[in-house]
mmCIF file with all atom_site columns, all heavy atoms in Angstrom:
data_model
loop_
_atom_site.group_PDB
_atom_site.id
_atom_site.type_symbol
_atom_site.label_atom_id
_atom_site.label_alt_id
_atom_site.label_comp_id
_atom_site.label_asym_id
_atom_site.label_entity_id
_atom_site.label_seq_id
_atom_site.pdbx_PDB_ins_code
_atom_site.Cartn_x
_atom_site.Cartn_y
_atom_site.Cartn_z
_atom_site.occupancy
_atom_site.B_iso_or_equiv
_atom_site.pdbx_formal_charge
_atom_site.auth_seq_id
_atom_site.auth_comp_id
_atom_site.auth_asym_id
_atom_site.auth_atom_id
_atom_site.pdbx_PDB_model_num
ATOM 1   N N   . HIS A 1 40  ? 49.452 -43.533 158.404 1.00 0.00 ? 101 HIS A N   1
ATOM 2   C CA  . HIS A 1 40  ? 49.993 -42.562 159.366 1.00 0.00 ? 101 HIS A CA  1
ATOM 3   C C   . HIS A 1 40  ? 48.989 -42.332 160.493 1.00 0.00 ? 101 HIS A C   1
ATOM 4   O O   . HIS A 1 40  ? 47.785 -42.379 160.259 1.00 0.00 ? 101 HIS A O   1
ATOM 5   C CB  . HIS A 1 40  ? 50.277 -41.228 158.682 1.00 0.00 ? 101 HIS A CB  1
ATOM 6   C CG  . HIS A 1 40  ? 51.192 -41.341 157.501 1.00 0.00 ? 101 HIS A CG  1
ATOM 7   N ND1 . HIS A 1 40  ? 52.509 -41.721 157.614 1.00 0.00 ? 101 HIS A ND1 1
ATOM 8   C CD2 . HIS A 1 40  ? 50.971 -41.139 156.180 1.00 0.00 ? 101 HIS A CD2 1
ATOM 9   C CE1 . HIS A 1 40  ? 53.067 -41.737 156.410 1.00 0.00 ? 101 HIS A CE1 1
ATOM 10  N NE2 . HIS A 1 40  ? 52.153 -41.397 155.525 1.00 0.00 ? 101 HIS A NE2 1
ATOM 11  N N   . THR A 1 41  ? 49.484 -42.046 161.680 1.00 0.00 ? 102 THR A N   1
ATOM 12  C CA  . THR A 1 41  ? 48.596 -41.827 162.826 1.00 0.00 ? 102 THR A CA  1
ATOM 13  C C   . THR A 1 41  ? 48.278 -40.356 163.058 1.00 0.00 ? 102 THR A C   1
ATOM 14  O O   . THR A 1 41  ? 47.501 -40.021 163.955 1.00 0.00 ? 102 THR A O   1
ATOM 15  C CB  . THR A 1 41  ? 49.230 -42.391 164.118 1.00 0.00 ? 102 THR A CB  1
ATOM 16  O OG1 . THR A 1 41  ? 50.472 -41.729 164.337 1.00 0.00 ? 102 THR A OG1 1
ATOM 17  C CG2 . THR A 1 41  ? 49.434 -43.890 164.031 1.00 0.00 ? 102 THR A CG2 1
ATOM 18  N N   . THR A 1 42  ? 48.880 -39.489 162.244 1.00 0.00 ? 103 THR A N   1
ATOM 19  C CA  . THR A 1 42  ? 48.608 -38.049 162.391 1.00 0.00 ? 103 THR A CA  1
ATOM 20  C C   . THR A 1 42  ? 48.239 -37.429 161.042 1.00 0.00 ? 103 THR A C   1
ATOM 21  O O   . THR A 1 42  ? 48.534 -36.258 160.776 1.00 0.00 ? 103 THR A O   1
ATOM 22  C CB  . THR A 1 42  ? 49.818 -37.314 163.021 1.00 0.00 ? 103 THR A CB  1
ATOM 23  O OG1 . THR A 1 42  ? 50.976 -37.555 162.225 1.00 0.00 ? 103 THR A OG1 1
ATOM 24  C CG2 . THR A 1 42  ? 50.061 -37.759 164.449 1.00 0.00 ? 103 THR A CG2 1
ATOM 25  N N   . ALA A 1 43  ? 47.638 -38.225 160.191 1.00 0.00 ? 104 ALA A N   1
ATOM 26  C CA  . ALA A 1 43  ? 47.150 -37.754 158.893 1.00 0.00 ? 104 ALA A CA  1
ATOM 27  C C   . ALA A 1 43  ? 45.836 -38.464 158.611 1.00 0.00 ? 104 ALA A C   1
ATOM 28  O O   . ALA A 1 43  ? 45.427 -39.356 159.376 1.00 0.00 ? 104 ALA A O   1
ATOM 29  C CB  . ALA A 1 43  ? 48.178 -38.045 157.800 1.00 0.00 ? 104 ALA A CB  1
ATOM 30  N N   . ALA A 1 44  ? 45.158 -38.065 157.539 1.00 0.00 ? 105 ALA A N   1
ATOM 31  C CA  . ALA A 1 44  ? 43.866 -38.679 157.217 1.00 0.00 ? 105 ALA A CA  1
ATOM 32  C C   . ALA A 1 44  ? 43.532 -38.449 155.752 1.00 0.00 ? 105 ALA A C   1
ATOM 33  O O   . ALA A 1 44  ? 44.251 -37.740 155.037 1.00 0.00 ? 105 ALA A O   1
ATOM 34  C CB  . ALA A 1 44  ? 42.778 -38.089 158.110 1.00 0.00 ? 105 ALA A CB  1
ATOM 35  N N   . ILE A 1 45  ? 42.446 -39.077 155.335 1.00 0.00 ? 106 ILE A N   1
ATOM 36  C CA  . ILE A 1 45  ? 41.896 -38.884 153.987 1.00 0.00 ? 106 ILE A CA  1
ATOM 37  C C   . ILE A 1 45  ? 40.442 -38.469 154.146 1.00 0.00 ? 106 ILE A C   1
ATOM 38  O O   . ILE A 1 45  ? 39.708 -39.060 154.961 1.00 0.00 ? 106 ILE A O   1
ATOM 39  C CB  . ILE A 1 45  ? 41.962 -40.193 153.161 1.00 0.00 ? 106 ILE A CB  1
ATOM 40  C CG1 . ILE A 1 45  ? 43.405 -40.635 152.919 1.00 0.00 ? 106 ILE A CG1 1
ATOM 41  C CG2 . ILE A 1 45  ? 41.214 -40.038 151.833 1.00 0.00 ? 106 ILE A CG2 1
ATOM 42  C CD1 . ILE A 1 45  ? 44.204 -39.737 151.974 1.00 0.00 ? 106 ILE A CD1 1
ATOM 43  N N   . LEU A 1 63  ? 38.549 -27.680 162.815 1.00 0.00 ? 124 LEU A N   1
ATOM 44  C CA  . LEU A 1 63  ? 39.212 -28.809 163.495 1.00 0.00 ? 124 LEU A CA  1
ATOM 45  C C   . LEU A 1 63  ? 40.238 -28.291 164.502 1.00 0.00 ? 124 LEU A C   1
ATOM 46  O O   . LEU A 1 63  ? 40.351 -28.804 165.616 1.00 0.00 ? 124 LEU A O   1
ATOM 47  C CB  . LEU A 1 63  ? 39.894 -29.732 162.480 1.00 0.00 ? 124 LEU A CB  1
ATOM 48  C CG  . LEU A 1 63  ? 38.997 -30.687 161.702 1.00 0.00 ? 124 LEU A CG  1
ATOM 49  C CD1 . LEU A 1 63  ? 39.805 -31.403 160.618 1.00 0.00 ? 124 LEU A CD1 1
ATOM 50  C CD2 . LEU A 1 63  ? 38.352 -31.720 162.628 1.00 0.00 ? 124 LEU A CD2 1
ATOM 51  N N   . ILE A 1 67  ? 39.785 -29.017 168.454 1.00 0.00 ? 128 ILE A N   1
ATOM 52  C CA  . ILE A 1 67  ? 40.834 -29.838 169.077 1.00 0.00 ? 128 ILE A CA  1
ATOM 53  C C   . ILE A 1 67  ? 42.066 -28.954 169.249 1.00 0.00 ? 128 ILE A C   1
ATOM 54  O O   . ILE A 1 67  ? 42.942 -28.909 168.386 1.00 0.00 ? 128 ILE A O   1
ATOM 55  C CB  . ILE A 1 67  ? 41.146 -31.075 168.214 1.00 0.00 ? 128 ILE A CB  1
ATOM 56  C CG1 . ILE A 1 67  ? 39.842 -31.847 167.967 1.00 0.00 ? 128 ILE A CG1 1
ATOM 57  C CG2 . ILE A 1 67  ? 42.189 -31.974 168.878 1.00 0.00 ? 128 ILE A CG2 1
ATOM 58  C CD1 . ILE A 1 67  ? 39.832 -32.643 166.716 1.00 0.00 ? 128 ILE A CD1 1
ATOM 59  N N   . SER A 1 80  ? 49.239 -34.999 170.461 1.00 0.00 ? 141 SER A N   1
ATOM 60  C CA  . SER A 1 80  ? 47.927 -35.633 170.640 1.00 0.00 ? 141 SER A CA  1
ATOM 61  C C   . SER A 1 80  ? 46.829 -35.028 169.776 1.00 0.00 ? 141 SER A C   1
ATOM 62  O O   . SER A 1 80  ? 45.998 -35.766 169.236 1.00 0.00 ? 141 SER A O   1
ATOM 63  C CB  . SER A 1 80  ? 47.503 -35.600 172.111 1.00 0.00 ? 141 SER A CB  1
ATOM 64  O OG  . SER A 1 80  ? 48.118 -36.678 172.782 1.00 0.00 ? 141 SER A OG  1
ATOM 65  N N   . PRO A 1 81  ? 46.775 -33.688 169.614 1.00 0.00 ? 142 PRO A N   1
ATOM 66  C CA  . PRO A 1 81  ? 45.717 -33.143 168.756 1.00 0.00 ? 142 PRO A CA  1
ATOM 67  C C   . PRO A 1 81  ? 45.763 -33.733 167.346 1.00 0.00 ? 142 PRO A C   1
ATOM 68  O O   . PRO A 1 81  ? 44.721 -33.979 166.749 1.00 0.00 ? 142 PRO A O   1
ATOM 69  C CB  . PRO A 1 81  ? 46.016 -31.644 168.734 1.00 0.00 ? 142 PRO A CB  1
ATOM 70  C CG  . PRO A 1 81  ? 46.851 -31.386 169.924 1.00 0.00 ? 142 PRO A CG  1
ATOM 71  C CD  . PRO A 1 81  ? 47.594 -32.641 170.213 1.00 0.00 ? 142 PRO A CD  1
ATOM 72  N N   . ALA A 1 82  ? 46.958 -33.971 166.823 1.00 0.00 ? 143 ALA A N   1
ATOM 73  C CA  . ALA A 1 82  ? 47.090 -34.545 165.484 1.00 0.00 ? 143 ALA A CA  1
ATOM 74  C C   . ALA A 1 82  ? 46.558 -35.978 165.457 1.00 0.00 ? 143 ALA A C   1
ATOM 75  O O   . ALA A 1 82  ? 45.887 -36.397 164.509 1.00 0.00 ? 143 ALA A O   1
ATOM 76  C CB  . ALA A 1 82  ? 48.550 -34.505 165.046 1.00 0.00 ? 143 ALA A CB  1
ATOM 77  N N   . HIS A 1 83  ? 46.846 -36.750 166.505 1.00 0.00 ? 144 HIS A N   1
ATOM 78  C CA  . HIS A 1 83  ? 46.321 -38.121 166.575 1.00 0.00 ? 144 HIS A CA  1
ATOM 79  C C   . HIS A 1 83  ? 44.796 -38.112 166.637 1.00 0.00 ? 144 HIS A C   1
ATOM 80  O O   . HIS A 1 83  ? 44.124 -38.924 165.998 1.00 0.00 ? 144 HIS A O   1
ATOM 81  C CB  . HIS A 1 83  ? 46.862 -38.822 167.825 1.00 0.00 ? 144 HIS A CB  1
ATOM 82  C CG  . HIS A 1 83  ? 48.331 -39.157 167.756 1.00 0.00 ? 144 HIS A CG  1
ATOM 83  N ND1 . HIS A 1 83  ? 48.859 -40.053 166.863 1.00 0.00 ? 144 HIS A ND1 1
ATOM 84  C CD2 . HIS A 1 83  ? 49.385 -38.708 168.488 1.00 0.00 ? 144 HIS A CD2 1
ATOM 85  C CE1 . HIS A 1 83  ? 50.175 -40.153 167.049 1.00 0.00 ? 144 HIS A CE1 1
ATOM 86  N NE2 . HIS A 1 83  ? 50.519 -39.336 168.041 1.00 0.00 ? 144 HIS A NE2 1
ATOM 87  N N   . ILE A 1 84  ? 44.245 -37.201 167.417 1.00 0.00 ? 145 ILE A N   1
ATOM 88  C CA  . ILE A 1 84  ? 42.786 -37.133 167.587 1.00 0.00 ? 145 ILE A CA  1
ATOM 89  C C   . ILE A 1 84  ? 42.106 -36.751 166.268 1.00 0.00 ? 145 ILE A C   1
ATOM 90  O O   . ILE A 1 84  ? 41.123 -37.367 165.853 1.00 0.00 ? 145 ILE A O   1
ATOM 91  C CB  . ILE A 1 84  ? 42.424 -36.142 168.720 1.00 0.00 ? 145 ILE A CB  1
ATOM 92  C CG1 . ILE A 1 84  ? 42.941 -36.681 170.053 1.00 0.00 ? 145 ILE A CG1 1
ATOM 93  C CG2 . ILE A 1 84  ? 40.917 -35.908 168.773 1.00 0.00 ? 145 ILE A CG2 1
ATOM 94  C CD1 . ILE A 1 84  ? 43.001 -35.637 171.160 1.00 0.00 ? 145 ILE A CD1 1
ATOM 95  N N   . LYS A 1 85  ? 42.663 -35.755 165.576 1.00 0.00 ? 146 LYS A N   1
ATOM 96  C CA  . LYS A 1 85  ? 42.098 -35.346 164.283 1.00 0.00 ? 146 LYS A CA  1
ATOM 97  C C   . LYS A 1 85  ? 42.161 -36.503 163.289 1.00 0.00 ? 146 LYS A C   1
ATOM 98  O O   . LYS A 1 85  ? 41.222 -36.716 162.522 1.00 0.00 ? 146 LYS A O   1
ATOM 99  C CB  . LYS A 1 85  ? 42.863 -34.142 163.729 1.00 0.00 ? 146 LYS A CB  1
ATOM 100 C CG  . LYS A 1 85  ? 42.592 -32.860 164.466 1.00 0.00 ? 146 LYS A CG  1
ATOM 101 C CD  . LYS A 1 85  ? 43.541 -31.769 163.999 1.00 0.00 ? 146 LYS A CD  1
ATOM 102 C CE  . LYS A 1 85  ? 43.550 -30.616 164.973 1.00 0.00 ? 146 LYS A CE  1
ATOM 103 N NZ  . LYS A 1 85  ? 44.733 -29.762 164.841 1.00 0.00 ? 146 LYS A NZ  1
ATOM 104 N N   . SER A 1 86  ? 43.250 -37.247 163.297 1.00 0.00 ? 147 SER A N   1
ATOM 105 C CA  . SER A 1 86  ? 43.402 -38.382 162.389 1.00 0.00 ? 147 SER A CA  1
ATOM 106 C C   . SER A 1 86  ? 42.306 -39.410 162.624 1.00 0.00 ? 147 SER A C   1
ATOM 107 O O   . SER A 1 86  ? 41.689 -39.918 161.682 1.00 0.00 ? 147 SER A O   1
ATOM 108 C CB  . SER A 1 86  ? 44.779 -39.011 162.602 1.00 0.00 ? 147 SER A CB  1
ATOM 109 O OG  . SER A 1 86  ? 44.886 -40.217 161.891 1.00 0.00 ? 147 SER A OG  1
ATOM 110 N N   . THR A 1 87  ? 42.033 -39.690 163.870 1.00 0.00 ? 148 THR A N   1
ATOM 111 C CA  . THR A 1 87  ? 40.977 -40.662 164.191 1.00 0.00 ? 148 THR A CA  1
ATOM 112 C C   . THR A 1 87  ? 39.596 -40.135 163.822 1.00 0.00 ? 148 THR A C   1
ATOM 113 O O   . THR A 1 87  ? 38.768 -40.875 163.284 1.00 0.00 ? 148 THR A O   1
ATOM 114 C CB  . THR A 1 87  ? 41.050 -41.041 165.691 1.00 0.00 ? 148 THR A CB  1
ATOM 115 O OG1 . THR A 1 87  ? 42.091 -41.999 165.836 1.00 0.00 ? 148 THR A OG1 1
ATOM 116 C CG2 . THR A 1 87  ? 39.754 -41.641 166.186 1.00 0.00 ? 148 THR A CG2 1
ATOM 117 N N   . LEU A 1 88  ? 39.342 -38.866 164.061 1.00 0.00 ? 149 LEU A N   1
ATOM 118 C CA  . LEU A 1 88  ? 38.016 -38.316 163.749 1.00 0.00 ? 149 LEU A CA  1
ATOM 119 C C   . LEU A 1 88  ? 37.762 -38.284 162.239 1.00 0.00 ? 149 LEU A C   1
ATOM 120 O O   . LEU A 1 88  ? 36.650 -38.570 161.786 1.00 0.00 ? 149 LEU A O   1
ATOM 121 C CB  . LEU A 1 88  ? 37.873 -36.901 164.317 1.00 0.00 ? 149 LEU A CB  1
ATOM 122 C CG  . LEU A 1 88  ? 37.737 -36.811 165.830 1.00 0.00 ? 149 LEU A CG  1
ATOM 123 C CD1 . LEU A 1 88  ? 37.666 -35.351 166.260 1.00 0.00 ? 149 LEU A CD1 1
ATOM 124 C CD2 . LEU A 1 88  ? 36.504 -37.563 166.307 1.00 0.00 ? 149 LEU A CD2 1
ATOM 125 N N   . VAL A 1 89  ? 38.766 -37.921 161.461 1.00 0.00 ? 150 VAL A N   1
ATOM 126 C CA  . VAL A 1 89  ? 38.578 -37.805 160.013 1.00 0.00 ? 150 VAL A CA  1
ATOM 127 C C   . VAL A 1 89  ? 38.671 -39.170 159.333 1.00 0.00 ? 150 VAL A C   1
ATOM 128 O O   . VAL A 1 89  ? 37.912 -39.462 158.417 1.00 0.00 ? 150 VAL A O   1
ATOM 129 C CB  . VAL A 1 89  ? 39.594 -36.803 159.410 1.00 0.00 ? 150 VAL A CB  1
ATOM 130 C CG1 . VAL A 1 89  ? 39.477 -36.734 157.898 1.00 0.00 ? 150 VAL A CG1 1
ATOM 131 C CG2 . VAL A 1 89  ? 39.382 -35.413 160.018 1.00 0.00 ? 150 VAL A CG2 1
ATOM 132 N N   . GLY A 1 90  ? 39.595 -40.018 159.796 1.00 0.00 ? 151 GLY A N   1
ATOM 133 C CA  . GLY A 1 90  ? 39.684 -41.371 159.261 1.00 0.00 ? 151 GLY A CA  1
ATOM 134 C C   . GLY A 1 90  ? 40.838 -41.557 158.298 1.00 0.00 ? 151 GLY A C   1
ATOM 135 O O   . GLY A 1 90  ? 41.226 -40.635 157.578 1.00 0.00 ? 151 GLY A O   1
ATOM 136 N N   . ALA A 1 91  ? 41.370 -42.786 158.268 1.00 0.00 ? 152 ALA A N   1
ATOM 137 C CA  . ALA A 1 91  ? 42.586 -43.070 157.493 1.00 0.00 ? 152 ALA A CA  1
ATOM 138 C C   . ALA A 1 91  ? 42.314 -43.448 156.044 1.00 0.00 ? 152 ALA A C   1
ATOM 139 O O   . ALA A 1 91  ? 43.261 -43.602 155.259 1.00 0.00 ? 152 ALA A O   1
ATOM 140 C CB  . ALA A 1 91  ? 43.364 -44.197 158.172 1.00 0.00 ? 152 ALA A CB  1
ATOM 141 N N   . SER A 1 92  ? 41.055 -43.601 155.649 1.00 0.00 ? 153 SER A N   1
ATOM 142 C CA  . SER A 1 92  ? 40.802 -44.063 154.276 1.00 0.00 ? 153 SER A CA  1
ATOM 143 C C   . SER A 1 92  ? 39.456 -43.606 153.737 1.00 0.00 ? 153 SER A C   1
ATOM 144 O O   . SER A 1 92  ? 38.580 -43.186 154.488 1.00 0.00 ? 153 SER A O   1
ATOM 145 C CB  . SER A 1 92  ? 40.872 -45.589 154.217 1.00 0.00 ? 153 SER A CB  1
ATOM 146 O OG  . SER A 1 92  ? 39.804 -46.149 154.957 1.00 0.00 ? 153 SER A OG  1
ATOM 147 N N   . PHE A 1 115 ? 48.019 -33.302 159.714 1.00 0.00 ? 176 PHE A N   1
ATOM 148 C CA  . PHE A 1 115 ? 47.729 -32.770 161.048 1.00 0.00 ? 176 PHE A CA  1
ATOM 149 C C   . PHE A 1 115 ? 48.983 -32.549 161.895 1.00 0.00 ? 176 PHE A C   1
ATOM 150 O O   . PHE A 1 115 ? 48.877 -32.063 163.015 1.00 0.00 ? 176 PHE A O   1
ATOM 151 C CB  . PHE A 1 115 ? 46.764 -33.705 161.795 1.00 0.00 ? 176 PHE A CB  1
ATOM 152 C CG  . PHE A 1 115 ? 45.413 -33.836 161.117 1.00 0.00 ? 176 PHE A CG  1
ATOM 153 C CD1 . PHE A 1 115 ? 44.885 -35.081 160.825 1.00 0.00 ? 176 PHE A CD1 1
ATOM 154 C CD2 . PHE A 1 115 ? 44.677 -32.708 160.774 1.00 0.00 ? 176 PHE A CD2 1
ATOM 155 C CE1 . PHE A 1 115 ? 43.649 -35.191 160.199 1.00 0.00 ? 176 PHE A CE1 1
ATOM 156 C CE2 . PHE A 1 115 ? 43.441 -32.813 160.152 1.00 0.00 ? 176 PHE A CE2 1
ATOM 157 C CZ  . PHE A 1 115 ? 42.930 -34.056 159.855 1.00 0.00 ? 176 PHE A CZ  1
#
Side-chain angles (χ1 to χ4, degrees):
H101 304 294
T102 60
T103 56
I106 296 291
L124 283 173
I128 305 153
S141 277
H144 289 295
I145 295 164
K146 288 171 196 161
S147 171
T148 280
L149 288 178
V150 176
S153 67
F176 297 128

